[in-house]
Amino acid sequence: MPKLLIFYMSREDEEEFLEYLQSLGNLQILPATSPSSDFTPLYGLPEPSQDESTRRFWLQNTMTGLPLVTEKVPEKDDYVVDGFQSPVIEFWRSWTTSQVMLPGGMQADMNYVDSDRGDLAAKPVEFRKWFESIDGWIRKKYRRLGIYIFAGPGAQDFRERGGILQGR
């Protein structure tokens, strides 16, 4: 069962979140897709737009001992990350249009298929601790709006100024 958090982040919230991620070390931000199986890490996030490539990413912990597993999508002639097999968190950004903020979030699988054993295995403890640290940071810094839905301080300000948090 994947672990999931939904959150609303203003640009300022996102910048603070990225600073926190960088402070943990061993982080690579990868694009959602790549023209080759070698995903080139990003340094910072691009300006968000309607193009999904500016809103969906993988956060990779490089110290887990698990490789990044990719696969080719023939219809698109692109490669994607296998989030189940890889030590990654899928991250999608909040998106603001006019006075409406759409939620972002993160999701990670805590297990993978160990090909040597041919069975499910827990991802390495380093990965699990890394995810729990990020999850804990959001739960501590952000306001809970639902069971697994949170709003950052900037998103709360946005709502208090009359903005709408879509889905709330």
Side-chain angles (χ1 to χ4, degrees), residues 6-14 16-17 94 101 103-104 137-145 149-161 165:
I6 303 296
F7 41 70
Y8 295 92
M9 286 184 179
S10 68
R11 289 297 298 233
E12 298 78 23
D13 295 336
E14 185 179 271
E16 185 182 13
F17 177 67
S94 295
M101 184 181 290
W137 185 87
I138 289 172
R139 289 173 186 273
K140 186 172 98 182
K141 298 256 184 192
Y142 286 25
R143 181 173 178 199
R144 180 185 294 269
L145 303 178
I149 304 170
F150 297 83
Q156 292 173 59
D157 289 346
F158 172 80
R159 185 165 73 171
E160 287 166 12
R161 291 191 316 269
L165 301 182

Side-chain angles (χ1 to χ4, degrees), residues 8-164:
Y8 295 92
M9 286 184 179
S10 68
R11 289 297 298 233
E12 298 78 23
D13 295 336
E14 185 179 271
E15 287 170 17
E16 185 182 13
F17 177 67
L18 290 173
E19 282 177 26
Y20 174 72
L21 291 175
Q22 299 287 358
S23 77
L24 296 175
N26 309 314
L27 168 74
Q28 287 192 334
I29 300 171
L30 304 174
T33 62
S34 173
S36 76
S37 61
D38 295 329
F39 277 64
T40 304
L42 302 171
Y43 297 96
L45 297 177
E47 194 62 34
S49 71
Q50 288 193 325
D51 186 341
E52 191 163 317
S53 69
T54 67
R55 299 197 329 253
R56 285 197 172 277
F57 303 92
W58 294 101
L59 307 175
Q60 180 187 16
N61 181 324
T62 59
M63 292 303 291
T64 63
L66 286 179
L68 183 70
V69 178
T70 63
E71 57 192 15
K72 187 167 180 131
V73 178
E75 313 83 66
K76 294 188 175 185
D77 207 29
D78 269 345
Y79 287 81
V80 295
V81 171
D82 180 340
F84 185 74
Q85 286 296 105
S86 302
V88 293
I89 297 171
E90 184 178 10
F91 169 69
W92 60 99
R93 300 164 94 173
S94 295
W95 171 247
T96 305
T97 59
S98 174
Q99 284 298 318
V100 177
M101 184 181 290
L102 302 173
M106 67 178 198
Q107 175 175 304
D109 285 290
M110 295 294 128
N111 298 308
Y112 73 106
V113 175
D114 183 329
S115 56
D116 294 338
R117 293 187 0 218
D119 199 2
L120 276 182
K123 286 189 179 171
V125 69
E126 296 89 352
F127 178 79
R128 298 167 83 83
K129 284 183 177 179
W130 182 66
F131 180 88
E132 293 304 326
S133 172
I134 297 166
D135 179 87
W137 185 87
I138 289 172
R139 289 173 186 273
K140 186 172 98 182
K141 298 256 184 192
Y142 286 25
R143 181 173 178 199
R144 180 185 294 269
L145 303 178
I147 295 172
Y148 55 90
I149 304 170
F150 297 83
Q156 292 173 59
D157 289 346
F158 172 80
R159 185 165 73 171
E160 287 166 12
R161 291 191 316 269
I164 297 166

